Amino acid sequence: MSITQNIEEIRGRMAQAAVRSGRKPEDVLLIAVTKLHEPGEIEEAIAAGVTDIAENKVQEIQKKFDQIHSPVNWHLIGHLQTNKVKYIIDKVVMIHSVDSVHLAQEIDKRAAAAGKTMDVLLQVNAAHEESKFGLDPKDVPQVFREILDSCPNVKIRGLMHIAPWSEDPEEIRPYFKEVKDLFDTLAAVEHPNADFKYLSMGMSHDFETAIEEGANIIRVGTSIFGERDYSKKMGGM
Ligand SMILES: *Cc1c(COP(=O)(O)O)cnc(C)c1O
C-alpha cells in the first residue's frame, strides 16, 4: 500500500475508535512520525492531508526543516538535552518530551529570547520502564507546579505517554487510563501557563486503545511509512 492509502486506512480506524470513546473523528489529531524517512515520503504524507509531523531527534529536525517546502507543523517527541533546545526553539510548535524542571527552564529562557511562548507536554512514564524517559506519575504534580511557577514563557498543554510494547492491548490499557486520570486532575488546575488540551498517546500498534482511553493526539510512524531502516541512522545525537 502507498503512504496515501495507509493514511486513509489509519484515519478510518481513528474515526471508529473516536466514536467508540464518545468523540468525533476530528477530535483526534494524527501526527506523522517521520524519523528516518526521506523528504519525498514526508511530502507525500502532507499531500494526503497530514498537517503535523514529528521527529525524535533535534539533528533530524535541523536537517529536514528546510527540505520540506509544504506548510506543516513540526513537533519534537524524543528526549531533549538542554544544550540542544536552542536549535529547535524557532522550529517546533510543541515539545512533547519535557521531563524535568531544569529542561523547562532552559526552554523558558530560549523562548523568552525568541520572543515567544513554547507549548509543551510533560512526558509520563506510567509503566516505570527503565529504557524510557519520562516522569514517574507520582512526581508529575510537583514538577507541573514548579514549571508553572518558574517558566513564564512555557505553556503546559497536556501530557505525553509511550506505552510498553505489547501484543495484547488489554495489557497496556491500564497505563492509558492512569495517564488520562492524571490529565483530568491537572486539567482542573487554573493557572495562566496551564492550558490543558492535549493527551499525546498511541503509536502504530496501540493507537486505537489509546484513543478509546482518551488520547487526542496519536503519533504514528510505521503504519504510515513502513518499517524504519535503522542502518540509515546517523551517529552522534
Ligand atoms: C518512533 C516514535 C513513534 C512512532 O512509532 P511507530 O511505532 O513507528 O508508530 C511515536 N512516538 C515516539 C516518541 C517515537 O519515538
Side-chain angles (χ1 to χ4, degrees), residues 176-187:
F176 293 137
K177 279 189 199 290
E178 182 183 355
V179 179
K180 172 67 160 82
D181 283 347
L182 187 56
F183 178 92
D184 289 340
T185 305
L186 299 178

Side-chain angles (χ1 to χ4, degrees), residues 31-35 37 54-57 76-79 96-97 123 160-162 165 200 202-207 218-228 230:
I31 296 184
V33 179
T34 50
K35 62 190 183 205
H37 293 292
E55 290 284 345
N56 68 334
K57 293 202 160 66
L76 183 78
I77 57 175
H79 182 62
H96 294 223
S97 45
Q123 182 175 349
M160 186 271 248
H161 172 63
I162 305 172
W165 194 90
S200 168
M203 306 166 40
S204 289
H205 66 281
D206 61 13
F207 72 79
I218 61 169
R219 311 174 308 268
V220 179
T222 309
S223 294
I224 294 176
F225 299 107
E227 293 292 332
R228 285 178 286 275
Y230 280 96

Side-chain angles (χ1 to χ4, degrees), residues 12 19 22-23 47 57 61 66 69 96 103 128 131 140 142-143 148 169 172 179 184 193 195 200 220 222 227:
V19 169
R23 289 174 298 159
K57 293 202 160 66
I61 294 181
D66 292 324
H69 302 295
H96 294 223
L103 174 59
H128 307 101
S131 60
V140 172
Q142 172 71 21
V143 169
L148 290 184
I172 50 176
V179 179
D184 289 340
N193 291 337
D195 183 10
S200 168
V220 179
T222 309
E227 293 292 332

Side-chain angles (χ1 to χ4, degrees), residues 62-208:
Q62 287 180 281
K63 192 180 80 168
K64 290 177 190 165
F65 193 77
D66 292 324
Q67 298 176 340
I68 303 300
H69 302 295
S70 309
V72 72
N73 298 317
W74 292 78
H75 297 250
L76 183 78
I77 57 175
H79 182 62
L80 178 58
Q81 289 171 282
T82 49
N83 62 346
K84 307 234 164 82
V85 172
K86 56 180 177 285
Y87 300 123
I88 51 141
I89 198 75
D90 57 339
K91 297 185 174 63
V92 301
V93 297
M94 193 151 73
I95 298 170
H96 294 223
S97 45
V98 171
D99 58 1
S100 72
V101 177
H102 179 61
L103 174 59
Q105 288 172 341
E106 174 66 15
I107 295 170
D108 181 60
K109 188 176 104 188
R110 297 290 172 180
K116 65 189 286 187
T117 300
M118 179 56 76
D119 281 355
V120 306
L121 305 179
L122 302 182
Q123 182 175 349
V124 187
N125 184 357
H128 307 101
E129 285 185 286
E130 300 231 345
S131 60
K132 293 203 173 90
F133 291 99
L135 293 156
D136 189 311
K138 73 172 171 19
D139 296 332
V140 172
Q142 172 71 21
V143 169
F144 171 74
R145 268 284 156 210
E146 283 183 38
I147 294 174
L148 290 184
D149 290 342
S150 66
C151 301
N153 288 73
V154 168
K155 190 168 271 190
I156 309 182
R157 305 304 310 272
L159 301 178
M160 186 271 248
H161 172 63
I162 305 172
W165 194 90
S166 171
E167 230 155 77
D168 177 6
E170 299 317 315
E171 261 178 29
I172 50 176
R173 193 182 293 278
Y175 298 122
F176 293 137
K177 279 189 199 290
E178 182 183 355
V179 179
K180 172 67 160 82
D181 283 347
L182 187 56
F183 178 92
D184 289 340
T185 305
L186 299 178
V189 174
E190 289 198 30
H191 189 287
N193 291 337
D195 183 10
F196 261 52
K197 181 165 178 212
Y198 301 116
L199 183 54
S200 168
M201 51 185 199
M203 306 166 40
S204 289
H205 66 281
D206 61 13
F207 72 79
E208 285 155 300

